[in-house]
Amino acid sequence: MAAADDRQPLPFFLRPVLLHGVDAVAHLLLALAVAARLLFATATRRAKESPAAAGTTRGAGFRWCRLAVRATWVLAACELFLAAYSLLSWYLDGGARWAAPDAVADYVDAAARAVAWLLLAAYLQLEHRRRGEDRLPAPLRLWWALFLLLSVLAVAVHAATILLYKLPVPALAWARDAVSVLASVVLLVAGFSAKCPAPGGSASEEPLLNGASETASAENDTVDASMFTGAGFLSVLTFSWMGPLLAVGHRKTLDLDDVPDLDTGDSVAGLLPPFKANLDALTGDGKVTAFKLTKALLRTVWWHIAVTALYALIYNLATYVGPYLIDSLVQYLNGDERYASKGKLLVVTFIVAKVFECLSQRHWFFRLQQAGIRARSALVSVVYQKGLSLSSPSRQSRTSGEMINIISVDADRVGLFSWYMHDLWLVPLQVGMALFILYSTLGVASLAALAATVVVMLANVPPMQMQERFQQKLMDCKDVRMKATSEILRNMRILKLQGWEMKFLSKIIDLRKTEESWLKKYLYTSTVATFVFWGAPTFVAVVTFGACMLLGIPLESGKVLSALATFRVLQEPIYNLPDTISMMIQTKVSLDRIASFLCLEELPTDAVQRLPSGNSDIAIEVSNGCFSWDASAEVPTLKDLNFQARQGMRVAVCGTVGSGKSSLLSCILGEMPKLSGEVKTCGTMAYVSQSAWIQSGKIQDNILFGKEMDSEKYDRILESCSLKKDLEILPFGDKTVIGERGINLSGGQKQRIQIARALYQDADIYLFDDPFSAVDAHTGSHLFKECLLGVLGSKTVVYVTHQIEFLPAADLILVMKGGRIAQAGKYNEILGSGEELMELVGAHQDALTALDLIDVANGGSEAFSSSGTASLCRSLSTAEEKDKQNGKEDVDKVQSGQLVLEEEREKGRVGFWVYWKYLTLAYGGALVPFVLIAQILFQVLQIGSNYWMAWASPVSEDVEPPVSMSTLIYVFVALAGASSLCILVRALFLVTAGYKTATLLFDKMHMSIFRAPMSFFDSTPSGRILNRASTDQSEVDTSIAYQMGSVAFSIIQLVGIIAVMSQVAWQVFVVFVPVIVACFWYQRYYIDTARELQRLVGVCKAPIIQHFAESITGSATIRSFGKENQFVSTNSHLMDAYSRPKFYNAAAMEWLCFRLDTLSSVTFAFSLIFLISLPTGLIDPGIAGLAVTYGLNLNMLQTWVVWCMCNLENKIISVERILQYMSIPEEPPLSMSGDKLPHNWPSEGEIQLRNLHVRYAPQLPFVLKGLTVTFPGAMKTGIVGRTGSGKSTLIQALFRIVDPTIGQILVDGVDICTIGLHDLRSRLSIIPQDPTMFEGTVRSNLDPLGEYNDDQIWEALDNCQLGDEVRKKDLKLDSPVIENGENWSVGQRQLVCLGRVILKRTKILVLDEATASVDTATDNLIQKTLRENFSDSTVITIAHRITSVLDSDMVLLLDNGVAVERDTPAKLLEDKSSLFSKLVAEYTMRATHT
């Protein structure tokens, strides 16, 4: 401090020597005390490890303690910096002031404070946080009180020195005072507020690298395992807490298990309750709007928003320090007297501003991403819960594609918006600060800069509005495309069987063409925005310097450089503004979509009055019920329903197709909108749907359905559902992973697993929606006896059935007709009282007379004794026993016999070939050089224009300028204009190449997927394919070309900056080269972990989408079992598994950027120190200033280069994943160009199988084992056999869905493996097991290829009994069919499939359990129709109803892939020992004696 003036000496008590002396002594005593305490604590800890305060909770006290520790570290850092600055100043002054006692006291005090506070911070970090204490130690709080006193005293002394004695006090002293007072207040508040224990040691304090935690409490698992939660202040500040994970990632390929858990606040469990509470508080009226949704999100993550706002403010203030001080630096370098002693201060200010800029930006970005992850998790969880509770009309109003887009695209976009949320208030702040700097250097001309800035911002409004419109259209088109893709993938088997896949591919390509037209508009509009914003600094500079010329304001190099640096900083807000506006628009669109989804009507909870078990002896009661799927329909679906079922009653529901049987069950479940009446149920429910709903996962998990395993009960149920034998055949038994929608199981197996699931739940009421039609006669009868009459003997059971033989066992039969209960009562009571049941029974009797005609019943019922059944079971089981041993051998050979495999994920670095393929795909890469040349030219011209301004402007007013003012401006305008033009050219080339590449990738991937064999779809969940078609394709469409460009452009810019800096001080290379080497080492070290984390993000996303899609499809089943909470919890678990790699990926990026920023700050600091060390006049101050101007951007750009490279490597994974699906093995060719088949082939329809062996994959056992059979032409052959005997596989081999491994199939003497797939499939017809309808119209469903006229279609509809039904509809053939044909009953869908084959009229027809979903009467009509239309065709029938094959010319009985019997039905029935006669016996016995 300055010594006292002679005339006005300072009294001794105000002298700095006394103040600093007292302060130094106090701090030295503190340092000694803390050091002794640390040493003592270390010794005692070694001697005896203190037990951790286990089980302590982290309440408010913990947070206060943590605040105290962090505040101490901040204060220690400040004191260290101030001490270093004092000593550096003294050293640079040559030690001149060392003799003065005041100065000595000052330096000693500074050193003592730094040492004391560092020791104290270390003590608190190492020692205090290890022990669980009630509060911070009393001596510590006493010291903080004393420190506050000393700090206030220092402020008073300095104030008195200035006010009373008019003596100056150095800025350094004031800085120290401010820091001390502020820190002591914070410390005191924290010290006296912390009354609860510190976060106690134990394993919970150690950052666990693995997810598994040692604590017993499941709730605390995530807290304990999160590396971030337990990190100390310095660790958080420098992101060092990421070290262990990065080390593991560098050492090995990361798996999800290696990624630590999330902090409670980031997991769904911690986020959802507050978010839902906030949303419910805001939406009292129940209407969710985008505004309310935003408000709820803001309230949920308010702390992150507040803290990021603070960081953003600090960052922006720090970035403007450089431009503000450039002019002063140029004047100093020019030898200006005013700045002679301020060189060191300028350098220190530059460096400190850089440090603050670096720290604040890193933490700002990290917290933003954390907020984004939280927002996404909260939204997806709320949307999922909503999806589970949608009413049926709401469910039908949204397609699954739209719903999937909400969680995969819209929620993502809201999460991404966190990056932009502060830009709205930052832009005015940044522009204001820029104008302040410009005003201080250029005066009134700054108003021109303001005007230019406003013009540039306004110029961007029209393109932004256009972009918003295009974005909306693009999203709508994408929704439609994704919906169509989703439907096609679900029904790929049907498309392949019919040979329609290419027609449906062209439909997808057409939808994509529409989408591409909007994409093109969107991308080209974005080039205008790019041009406007890269040209912005140039335009503002031209206008401002032009104004200076007009106003006669002299341009000196210092002012020019300050202005140019300001324009470069100003570029960011201007550049970010369009992005922000665009992102706001996109986010608003997404929020609107989410809000409108959350507004959909939910299933009314009061539709059914549910009483707990035992409250009533009536299990189900419906009185005056009136229900309708469509509330606006004039005629309700069900009307005048009145019935009740007592506890333990069996209620059968029968009726013709479309009479309302399934709807009746829906109204009991509360799934169907109730118009009037009352429904009451008493007890828990279980439901078995008509179309089996199976989750992908293990068979065991499907049966347990969230319940604990009870082995005895489990085995009993497997036995009842005759699943034991099926599980023995499967390679992994009940641990076999089922594909999506149970794809690798037969229809019967799926139904039996559904039944087992229901039985295992041990409910009070069971609802069965005709599950027996999907299984063969023997199994159906077994299930009915064992399950309905046995296990569920004492339960209330309502079962819909088409099998008349199951009716007599019911206590009550409800016969449905036209949505009403036409008859109700016991079998014998109502048999004679009305015609409805008589119709059905009559049809059944007609079918049975076929047996009498063959005259089997000559031996009465003795032939059908139980011994016959027993021997049937025995003979079946011995064949199975043999096969089981073969199966075992196969399993031993191959361990991985699972059909659905883990999603393949590339390991290690993304191969160079991926980048090369992407770059050269469009126009052979011809546009790439042009893009680079345009960017290099832009960089050269931009540097040239700035160089020109620095060189041609005078350093100060008294120096003669080298050129006139007008020349200065004109040359600048020419250079700047040319550079802007280069940007436009670059943007256009880049967009053109990116668009073309995206189009090619899309077309090639979809062609590859549609040409893939069926085995690919069986083993690949559609979620994986949809993920590539939506998320990955979106990246390719809009962002990868831009990312590629960013990498190249930022490298070019970096080279430019280094070139400019080395012009002034080539010595900068001495530091720059090692710094760059270090940067690339860090980047390589980091990328090992980041790449795998990014891949994990990709892999963890598909299960969320798949689980969501499955839950929506099975929502009725989930609700009927009351399992909503279980599914919500699974969704939360999947969301957290996705958020984990995402969170740690964000942290890893900031870990890297922090280190890069630090290194580039070293380069910048070195060049600054070098500049002020040079003798004055050695270099041109203007050029030196230019170097500093560019150097200000060095750290940002160096980080930007590495960030772009890493980001590109993360994003390019989308290309890698698409390329993966471009190389799927293809099916054989669709048609052979060589020998043309005769147009009437097959003319005879004879099919020969020669030694046919078929298996689904090389690692799986054979399903068909050496079949040699001939199906004669124009004859009807029935194939029978137990579920899983190979019936469906035989049909798949005939259609070449699976090619024979050994053997041949000849049709009319032509080996089908030698002809094209479409040539084969277009000449065969099939009615598949699962009836399928596509979204569209009745016409497009019957004739997708548009080959027939309306008359032919009407004739086909009349033939399949649907003509009248379609004529009733207003739009006739153009009547709409919604997704999956859900507005048609299953039976009607089956009839549509029949209509398709009647239209096609081929020589060979296959019926794969085609009549399983229709009643006997309709079945008889279908059989009659087939006989009329296909009398001269070869018809192969796979049937579960024995009656369907009795009128066949030939019967083939398969057992375990082997042809056991083959003859005419009559011959086989004559032989009482034949398996066929035993099957028939089983059926007739069931029909007559049930």
Side-chain angles (χ1 to χ4, degrees):
M1 240 187 223
D5 191 288
D6 287 339
R7 287 171 296 129
Q8 214 173 7
L10 271 174
F12 181 73
F13 64 87
L14 289 183
R15 287 281 298 278
V17 68
L18 178 66
L19 184 66
H20 289 311
V22 171
D23 204 48
V25 169
H27 278 90
L28 283 170
L29 288 170
L30 171 70
L32 287 168
V34 173
R37 185 82 188 90
L38 267 172
L39 287 169
F40 174 73
T42 311
T44 51
R45 193 164 63 249
R46 277 195 191 133
K48 181 187 172 190
E49 200 69 48
S50 70
T56 54
T57 52
R58 293 174 162 179
F62 162 53
R63 286 194 284 278
W64 285 113
C65 288
R66 191 159 66 176
L67 175 65
V69 175
R70 290 180 176 184
T72 312
W73 272 115
V74 171
L75 181 56
C78 292
E79 293 292 359
L80 188 63
F81 172 74
L82 292 170
Y85 185 79
S86 296
L87 294 168
L88 185 68
S89 304
W90 166 75
Y91 174 72
L92 292 170
D93 286 343
R97 296 176 56 216
W98 184 247
D102 288 352
V104 174
D106 188 5
Y107 298 141
V108 171
D109 183 25
R113 289 170 76 109
V115 171
W117 283 106
L118 276 170
L119 280 168
L120 184 58
Y123 164 72
L124 284 173
Q125 181 75 35
L126 298 171
E127 192 50 40
H128 181 70
R129 281 169 62 107
R130 284 187 191 277
R131 303 201 312 268
E133 290 179 351
D134 283 346
R135 52 167 67 195
L136 290 157
L140 201 54
R141 283 176 285 143
L142 196 63
W143 159 249
W144 286 336
L146 177 64
F147 179 57
L148 178 63
L149 192 65
L150 285 170
S151 305
V152 172
L153 198 62
V155 173
V157 167
H158 290 144
T161 306
I162 286 178
L163 298 171
L164 302 176
Y165 296 92
K166 305 291 187 286
L167 287 173
V169 174
L172 191 67
W174 282 117
R176 187 178 285 152
D177 290 347
V179 167
S180 301
V181 171
L182 186 65
S184 53
V185 169
V186 170
L187 288 169
L188 263 183
V189 170
F192 285 98
S193 303
K195 288 180 181 166
C196 101
S202 88
S204 70
E205 191 49 43
E206 294 300 316
L208 290 183
L209 195 60
N210 249 331
S213 165
E214 305 297 321
T215 50
S217 161
E219 290 81 4
N220 290 340
D221 273 3
T222 49
V223 179
D224 292 340
S226 170
M227 289 158 56
F228 180 56
T229 315
F233 172 69
L234 268 182
S235 182
V236 169
L237 189 72
T238 60
F239 294 95
S240 305
W241 54 273
M242 274 300 294
L245 181 62
L246 289 158
V248 171
H250 184 60
R251 210 169 50 244
K252 60 172 271 230
T253 302
L254 277 187
D255 289 315
L256 193 60
D257 293 341
D258 300 315
V259 183
D261 280 346
L262 294 167
D263 180 51
T264 314
D266 295 313
S267 66
V268 175
L271 274 172
L272 196 56
F275 177 65
K276 283 200 81 168
N278 289 327
L279 192 59
D280 294 344
L282 289 165
T283 53
D285 58 349
K287 180 99 171 109
V288 182
T289 61
F291 177 67
K292 287 175 183 171
L293 198 57
T294 312
K295 231 168 139 183
L297 279 171
L298 292 178
R299 285 185 183 179
T300 309
V301 293
W302 70 268
W303 187 84
H304 284 75
I305 293 168
V307 81
T308 47
L310 177 65
Y311 289 140
L313 184 64
I314 294 170
Y315 169 75
N316 281 287
L317 291 170
T319 46
Y320 280 94
V321 169
Y324 184 66
L325 295 178
I326 282 272
D327 191 20
S328 308
L329 184 69
V330 171
Q331 298 306 332
Y332 169 78
L333 293 174
N334 195 36
D336 191 317
E337 289 299 318
R338 292 171 300 164
Y339 297 96
S341 61
K342 294 193 177 162
K344 293 184 290 294
L345 184 64
L346 280 170
V347 168
V348 169
T349 314
F350 268 117
I351 294 167
V352 169
K354 266 278 162 265
V355 169
F356 272 102
E357 185 187 321
C358 151
L359 278 171
S360 55
Q361 189 183 28
R362 298 286 56 94
H363 286 277
W364 172 23
F365 284 0
F366 173 61
R367 293 295 186 176
L368 279 182
Q369 290 175 84
Q370 195 180 12
I373 288 169
R374 289 186 173 196
R376 186 186 187 283
S377 292
L379 286 174
V380 172
S381 305
V382 167
V383 167
Y384 180 82
Q385 289 190 2
K386 181 75 180 183
L388 276 187
S389 57
L390 287 182
S391 67
S392 181
S394 303
R395 167 77 190 79
Q396 290 188 0
S397 72
R398 294 298 173 99
T399 64
S400 56
E402 282 176 299
M403 292 194 255
I404 285 169
N405 264 352
I406 284 176
I407 64 161
S408 68
V409 179
D410 294 316
D412 265 4
R413 188 164 291 135
V414 176
L416 267 181
F417 181 69
S418 62
W419 282 101
Y420 302 86
M421 65 184 167
H422 293 305
D423 287 3
L424 282 179
W425 63 269
L426 282 177
V427 169
L429 173 76
Q430 289 165 323
V431 172
M433 288 196 296
L435 290 173
F436 167 72
I437 293 171
L438 289 173
Y439 187 75
S440 66
T441 49
L442 300 176
V444 188
S446 60
L447 294 174
L450 173 64
T453 306
V454 170
V455 166
V456 168
M457 287 181 171
L458 290 176
N460 213 41
V461 172
M464 290 323 302
Q465 287 174 332
M466 285 161 74
Q467 260 190 300
E468 177 194 5
R469 203 172 78 250
F470 299 152
Q471 171 76 28
Q472 179 64 54
K473 297 281 188 191
L474 189 61
M475 285 305 296
D476 292 345
C477 291
K478 187 174 175 174
D479 275 354
V480 175
R481 172 172 67 81
M482 287 312 296
K483 173 177 151 190
T485 310
S486 167
E487 183 176 49
I488 287 169
L489 290 176
R490 251 198 321 274
N491 301 310
M492 188 55 89
R493 185 176 298 276
I494 306 297
L495 299 183
K496 295 265 184 203
L497 288 168
Q498 304 280 11
W500 290 343
E501 71 267 41
M502 287 300 127
K503 171 70 181 173
F504 278 78
L505 172 61
S506 67
K507 184 177 163 188
I508 295 287
I509 297 291
D510 289 344
L511 291 172
R512 171 70 180 173
K513 286 268 188 302
T514 317
E515 188 185 339
E516 277 169 7
S517 68
W518 293 111
L519 176 65
K520 200 171 192 174
K521 289 172 183 165
Y522 176 79
L523 290 173
Y524 280 105
T525 317
S526 72
T527 61
V528 178
T530 307
F531 169 63
V532 169
F533 285 91
W534 275 99
T538 311
F539 175 70
V540 175
V542 167
V543 170
T544 311
F545 293 148
C548 288
M549 187 173 83
L550 294 172
L551 295 167
I553 297 168
L555 288 175
E556 297 155 22
S557 56
K559 290 179 177 176
V560 166
L561 290 168
S562 179
L564 285 174
T566 308
F567 297 145
R568 280 176 79 92
V569 180
L570 190 59
Q571 181 186 5
E572 195 186 343
I574 298 179
Y575 187 62
N576 281 349
L577 191 67
D579 266 2
T580 306
I581 295 169
S582 151
M583 199 61 197
M584 279 184 69
I585 290 157
Q586 292 178 29
T587 308
K588 174 155 189 337
V589 168
S590 288
L591 282 165
D592 283 335
R593 283 155 58 102
I594 294 171
S596 75
F597 181 77
L598 294 177
C599 285
L600 289 177
E601 186 194 8
E602 292 189 11
L603 204 64
T605 47
D606 56 350
V608 176
Q609 194 181 332
R610 293 182 171 87
L611 302 172
S613 304
N615 274 26
S616 163
D617 60 346
I618 293 175
I620 304 167
E621 182 174 17
V622 180
S623 40
N624 305 319
C626 189
F627 304 85
S628 179
W629 288 117
D630 179 7
S632 58
E634 290 173 26
V635 182
T637 316
L638 296 176
K639 46 199 176 290
D640 310 330
L641 284 194
N642 286 287
F643 77 93
Q644 57 173 238
R646 297 187 167 276
Q647 295 287 0
M649 260 177 95
R650 273 193 297 281
V651 180
V653 183
C654 59
T656 54
V657 169
S659 59
K661 303 183 293 298
S662 298
S663 298
L664 178 70
L665 295 191
S666 296
C667 79
I668 297 171
L669 287 169
E671 293 291 323
M672 193 173 182
K674 182 172 74 174
L675 303 179
S676 62
E678 201 174 45
V679 183
K680 285 184 191 166
T681 63
C682 175
T684 55
M685 278 206 189
Y687 167 61
V688 179
S689 56
Q690 185 171 12
S691 305
W693 177 74
I694 302 283
Q695 277 181 281
S696 46
K698 291 181 187 149
I699 292 177
Q700 188 186 80
D701 297 340
N702 265 288
I703 295 173
L704 296 182
F705 209 46
K707 283 220 162 191
E708 288 294 311
M709 168 60 98
D710 173 347
S711 306
E712 204 177 309
K713 175 178 167 188
Y714 182 74
D715 286 340
R716 204 168 55 242
I717 284 168
L718 288 184
E719 197 63 60
S720 306
C721 298
S722 59
L723 275 168
K724 276 276 171 72
K725 288 173 182 158
D726 298 271
L727 294 181
E728 284 165 5
I729 294 168
L730 290 169
F732 286 84
D734 62 357
K735 298 285 193 301
T736 302
V737 175
I738 301 177
E740 204 171 4
R741 304 183 312 282
I743 205 132
N744 43 337
L745 298 174
S746 71
Q749 287 169 329
K750 283 191 268 192
Q751 278 296 9
R752 283 179 289 137
I753 288 172
Q754 272 214 118
I755 295 169
R757 174 174 65 203
L759 296 187
Y760 196 82
Q761 295 304 305
D762 199 23
D764 300 315
I765 302 170
Y766 281 81
L767 306 179
F768 288 93
D769 193 352
D770 195 20
F772 309 113
S773 60
V775 295
D776 56 80
H778 170 71
T779 313
S781 158
H782 174 87
L783 286 174
F784 190 76
K785 279 186 193 150
E786 291 295 323
C787 300
L788 263 73
L789 307 181
V791 180
L792 304 179
S794 59
K795 308 279 187 183
T796 312
V797 182
V798 179
Y799 59 99
V800 168
T801 186
H802 287 132
Q803 277 100 321
I804 300 300
E805 58 271 25
F806 292 152
L807 295 180
D811 301 317
L812 170 67
I813 298 172
L814 304 177
V815 184
M816 301 295 295
K817 186 167 185 184
R820 282 193 169 84
I821 297 177
Q823 289 178 282
K826 277 189 176 274
Y827 185 74
N828 294 331
E829 290 169 14
I830 60 171
L831 195 54
S833 65
E835 61 189 39
E836 285 81 6
L837 184 63
M838 279 306 291
E839 264 178 41
L840 297 171
V841 173
H844 179 59
Q845 295 300 341
D846 293 346
L848 283 177
T849 51
L851 290 170
D852 299 331
L853 292 175
I854 302 169
D855 195 24
V856 178
N858 50 7
S861 56
E862 293 88 13
F864 315 137
S865 67
S866 57
S867 64
T869 314
S871 62
L872 166 73
C873 294
R874 250 200 321 280
S875 55
L876 283 174
S877 62
T878 47
E880 250 159 40
E881 203 58 52
K882 273 188 245 146
D883 185 60
K884 209 193 312 172
Q885 282 149 12
N886 302 346
K888 276 203 184 106
E889 286 161 25
D890 282 340
V891 173
D892 291 338
K893 277 183 232 155
V894 182
Q895 286 80 39
S896 61
Q898 291 287 22
L899 180 79
V900 180
L901 304 169
E902 282 287 308
E903 179 162 7
E904 64 298 324
R905 155 168 91 97
E906 301 285 344
K907 303 276 170 115
R909 288 183 64 174
V910 176
F912 174 72
W913 68 273
V914 176
Y915 297 94
W916 184 249
K917 185 94 176 163
Y918 181 82
L919 286 170
T920 54
L921 200 59
Y923 312 111
L927 292 181
V928 176
F930 291 106
V931 173
L932 294 175
I933 290 165
Q935 177 63 26
I936 291 166
L937 273 174
F938 164 73
Q939 196 61 37
V940 169
L941 289 167
Q942 201 191 37
I943 290 174
S945 64
N946 292 350
Y947 212 93
W948 166 257
M949 290 302 282
W951 174 79
S953 314
V955 176
S956 56
E957 291 174 38
D958 46 4
V959 178
E960 184 64 33
V963 293
S964 69
M965 185 83 153
S966 54
T967 311
L968 176 78
I969 299 296
Y970 292 146
V971 173
F972 179 70
V973 169
L975 289 168
S979 73
S980 298
L981 197 63
C982 288
I983 279 296
L984 183 61
V985 171
R986 183 207 84 185
L988 287 169
F989 277 144
L990 187 69
V991 161
T992 308
Y995 169 74
K996 181 71 176 169
T997 309
T999 312
L1000 288 170
L1001 282 172
F1002 180 89
D1003 292 348
K1004 283 171 186 276
M1005 175 174 79
H1006 278 71
M1007 175 55 91
S1008 179
I1009 289 171
F1010 276 70
R1011 288 286 291 111
M1014 202 58 224
S1015 57
F1016 168 75
F1017 299 96
D1018 289 348
S1019 59
T1020 309
S1022 63
R1024 288 183 200 169
I1025 303 172
L1026 292 174
N1027 210 354
R1028 281 164 175 84
S1030 64
T1031 316
D1032 292 326
Q1033 188 63 44
S1034 279
E1035 293 284 5
V1036 172
D1037 284 348
T1038 53
S1039 97
I1040 288 180
Y1042 170 74
Q1043 289 296 340
M1044 281 258 187
S1046 295
V1047 169
F1049 309 154
S1050 53
I1051 289 173
I1052 292 167
Q1053 278 181 291
L1054 184 64
V1055 171
I1057 287 187
I1058 293 303
V1060 171
M1061 286 177 74
S1062 60
Q1063 283 285 303
V1064 181
W1066 60 264
Q1067 292 84 347
V1068 92
F1069 278 112
V1070 175
V1071 176
F1072 179 70
V1073 172
V1075 161
I1076 279 290
V1077 169
C1079 282
F1080 281 105
W1081 181 85
Y1082 268 126
Q1083 193 254 352
R1084 296 273 31 110
Y1085 181 77
Y1086 148 87
I1087 200 71
D1088 292 331
T1089 303
R1091 189 193 311 110
E1092 297 312 321
L1093 285 171
Q1094 185 62 31
R1095 282 183 177 142
L1096 285 171
V1097 169
V1099 171
C1100 291
K1101 189 168 186 176
I1104 298 173
I1105 296 173
Q1106 192 182 332
H1107 181 250
F1108 182 69
E1110 278 184 348
S1111 305
I1112 296 293
T1113 315
S1115 54
T1117 304
I1118 295 167
R1119 287 194 290 254
S1120 64
F1121 283 93
K1123 295 285 180 184
E1124 293 97 328
N1125 290 346
Q1126 179 190 319
F1127 275 75
V1128 167
S1129 147
T1130 306
N1131 180 61
S1132 303
H1133 176 72
L1134 290 171
M1135 272 308 305
D1136 287 346
Y1138 172 74
S1139 297
R1140 267 161 57 200
K1142 214 168 169 55
F1143 173 82
Y1144 287 101
N1145 199 14
M1149 175 58 88
E1150 298 314 324
W1151 175 93
L1152 174 70
C1153 290
F1154 174 79
R1155 279 143 187 79
L1156 298 182
D1157 279 354
T1158 310
L1159 288 168
S1160 56
S1161 300
V1162 168
T1163 313
F1164 182 59
F1166 176 82
S1167 49
L1168 277 179
I1169 292 166
F1170 181 76
L1171 280 178
I1172 64 162
S1173 312
L1174 291 174
T1176 307
L1178 190 67
I1179 49 167
D1180 181 343
I1183 303 300
L1186 181 67
V1188 175
T1189 309
Y1190 272 96
L1192 285 172
N1193 282 332
L1194 180 67
N1195 72 315
M1196 199 171 84
L1197 201 62
Q1198 211 168 313
T1199 307
W1200 181 237
V1201 168
V1202 176
W1203 192 85
C1204 284
M1205 287 168 78
C1206 296
N1207 211 22
L1208 174 62
E1209 188 155 358
N1210 287 344
K1211 297 263 188 202
I1212 203 81
I1213 288 168
S1214 290
V1215 176
E1216 183 183 52
R1217 283 157 59 85
I1218 288 174
L1219 290 175
Q1220 228 176 35
Y1221 274 22
M1222 275 165 53
S1223 53
I1224 307 166
E1226 277 197 0
E1227 274 188 312
L1230 297 177
S1231 58
M1232 295 285 193
S1233 54
D1235 43 8
K1236 288 279 179 197
L1237 286 166
H1239 72 91
N1240 65 339
W1241 179 89
S1243 52
E1244 299 298 318
E1246 184 188 58
I1247 302 167
Q1248 292 171 287
L1249 312 181
R1250 293 183 182 169
N1251 189 27
L1252 189 65
H1253 286 74
V1254 177
R1255 60 177 163 200
Y1256 284 100
Q1259 74 268 26
L1260 297 175
F1262 281 110
V1263 182
L1264 296 180
K1265 302 157 188 173
L1267 273 189
T1268 302
V1269 182
T1270 300
F1271 296 97
M1275 287 177 78
K1276 189 174 174 190
T1277 305
I1279 302 178
V1280 290
R1282 264 188 97 256
T1283 301
S1285 59
K1287 304 187 296 289
S1288 293
T1289 306
L1290 174 56
I1291 300 310
Q1292 294 197 54
L1294 178 61
F1295 280 81
R1296 288 187 67 194
I1297 294 293
V1298 245
D1299 272 339
T1301 314
I1302 306 168
Q1304 289 177 305
I1305 301 178
L1306 305 179
V1307 174
D1308 279 7
V1310 177
D1311 184 348
I1312 62 169
C1313 290
T1314 61
I1315 59 173
L1317 293 180
H1318 275 190
D1319 297 338
L1320 171 70
R1321 291 168 185 170
S1322 61
R1323 318 227 181 166
L1324 307 178
S1325 290
I1326 183 164
I1327 303 182
Q1329 188 173 356
D1330 298 320
T1332 304
M1333 287 177 80
F1334 301 94
E1335 187 169 11
T1337 60
V1338 174
R1339 180 189 279 105
S1340 71
N1341 265 284
L1342 281 164
D1343 179 24
L1345 308 182
E1347 295 172 329
Y1348 305 97
N1349 60 35
D1350 281 11
D1351 294 341
Q1352 289 170 301
I1353 293 174
W1354 278 116
E1355 187 190 340
L1357 280 171
D1358 289 332
N1359 273 332
C1360 67
Q1361 315 302 320
L1362 274 176
D1364 296 341
E1365 184 69 36
V1366 176
R1367 284 189 184 89
K1368 273 188 222 161
K1369 298 186 182 284
D1370 299 339
L1371 297 172
K1372 308 286 190 289
L1373 288 179
D1374 293 317
S1375 302
V1377 175
I1378 64 166
E1379 198 175 7
N1380 295 336
E1382 279 175 15
N1383 52 346
W1384 296 71
S1385 77
V1386 179
Q1388 287 168 328
R1389 284 181 239 167
Q1390 193 72 279
L1391 294 174
V1392 169
C1393 294
L1394 174 66
R1396 285 182 192 146
V1397 300
I1398 291 173
L1399 264 181
K1400 206 169 168 186
R1401 300 214 181 201
T1402 55
K1403 193 70 184 165
I1404 296 176
L1405 169 66
V1406 176
L1407 308 177
D1408 188 357
E1409 298 161 358
T1411 55
S1413 304
V1414 294
D1415 58 90
T1416 319
T1418 314
D1419 183 16
N1420 287 357
L1421 275 171
I1422 291 175
Q1423 298 299 338
K1424 184 165 161 261
T1425 309
L1426 290 172
R1427 275 195 291 275
E1428 288 167 6
N1429 287 281
F1430 293 94
S1431 54
D1432 58 345
S1433 299
T1434 306
V1435 180
I1436 297 175
T1437 310
I1438 292 182
H1440 286 158
R1441 291 179 180 155
I1442 294 296
T1443 50
S1444 309
V1445 294
L1446 282 176
D1447 64 344
S1448 303
D1449 304 310
M1450 187 73 67
V1451 170
L1452 171 69
L1453 193 140
L1454 288 180
D1455 188 27
N1456 280 312
V1458 180
V1460 184
E1461 295 174 357
R1462 181 180 168 277
D1463 215 328
T1464 60
K1467 287 249 182 73
L1468 288 172
L1469 287 169
E1470 281 169 19
D1471 177 5
K1472 295 294 179 288
S1473 63
S1474 76
L1475 292 179
F1476 182 68
S1477 66
K1478 285 168 186 166
L1479 269 176
V1480 173
E1482 175 72 25
Y1483 182 81
T1484 13
M1485 184 170 67
R1486 183 175 83 177
T1488 51
H1489 299 295
T1490 306

